[in-house]
Amino acid sequence: MANQVETLVASTAIKCPADKFYNFFKFNMSDSVKIFPAAFTGAEIIEGEDGTVGCIKLWHYIIGIPLTVKVLTEEIEDAAKTIKFVALEGDILLLYKSFKATLTVSDGLAKWTFEYEKTTILSPPPELYVPLAITLCTLVDAYLLIN
């Protein structure tokens, strides 16, 4: 089987201003731990700083079981309100040879695009990340509307 990169998209409506939502994920994404503690149990910067390309964070999260992932902020495009994250290490790389998550924010919409390459033909699509992303966006949107 030839390895190929596959894509999965999760999008949801948002009510807060696109700039405010985008800047949360650019500069304050670690606050996801206090906004969505049922899923995100820890986040620490390993290298660099929030809001910059090259920042590496170690995330602790739960999707049925506790998991960890070390994530690199690979790309930030302010004009397009897009941030691209790449998994460097962690549990997700047991199922996928590569895993990238791109957040694109526009007026009224937040969209996550997951690009992944399966480790084996038996690796499932990362469908469990869709409700995680949508719930995170919904909770962040609600948080930003009152803060």
Side-chain angles (χ1 to χ4, degrees):
M1 175 182 145
N3 294 330
Q4 74 182 59
V5 175
E6 297 180 52
T7 303
L8 184 63
V9 176
S11 59
T12 188
I14 57 171
K15 294 179 179 140
C16 78
D19 284 336
K20 189 174 183 180
F21 192 88
Y22 169 74
N23 284 326
F24 173 88
F25 283 92
K26 183 177 176 184
F27 296 110
N28 305 104
M29 192 170 171
S30 296
D31 287 347
S32 299
V33 173
K34 70 180 183 185
I35 294 170
F36 193 6
F40 295 96
T41 57
E44 58 190 273
I45 294 176
I46 303 295
E47 190 175 305
E49 60 186 63
D50 273 333
T52 62
V53 169
C55 179
I56 298 174
K57 285 186 183 176
L58 178 64
W59 286 92
H60 301 273
Y61 63 104
I62 299 169
I63 300 183
I65 60 170
L67 302 166
T68 61
V69 65
K70 190 182 285 187
V71 176
L72 166 70
T73 302
E74 182 182 61
E75 196 175 305
I76 297 173
E77 293 181 41
D78 289 334
K81 293 183 190 70
T82 299
I83 307 170
K84 186 175 282 188
F85 304 97
V86 178
L88 299 177
E89 296 175 13
D91 297 308
I92 198 165
L93 295 180
L94 297 173
L95 293 174
Y96 310 104
K97 289 181 185 177
S98 64
F99 190 90
K100 294 183 179 188
T102 303
L103 173 66
T104 305
V105 182
S106 57
D107 288 330
L109 188 70
K111 180 173 86 171
W112 285 95
T113 304
F114 303 108
E115 296 174 63
Y116 59 96
E117 185 179 353
K118 293 178 178 182
T119 304
T120 72
I121 195 167
L122 299 175
S123 297
E127 291 171 350
L128 293 174
Y129 287 86
V130 172
L132 178 72
I134 289 172
T135 303
L136 175 61
C137 288
T138 302
L139 293 173
V140 167
D141 189 41
Y143 171 82
L144 294 175
L145 284 170
I146 58 174
N147 289 291

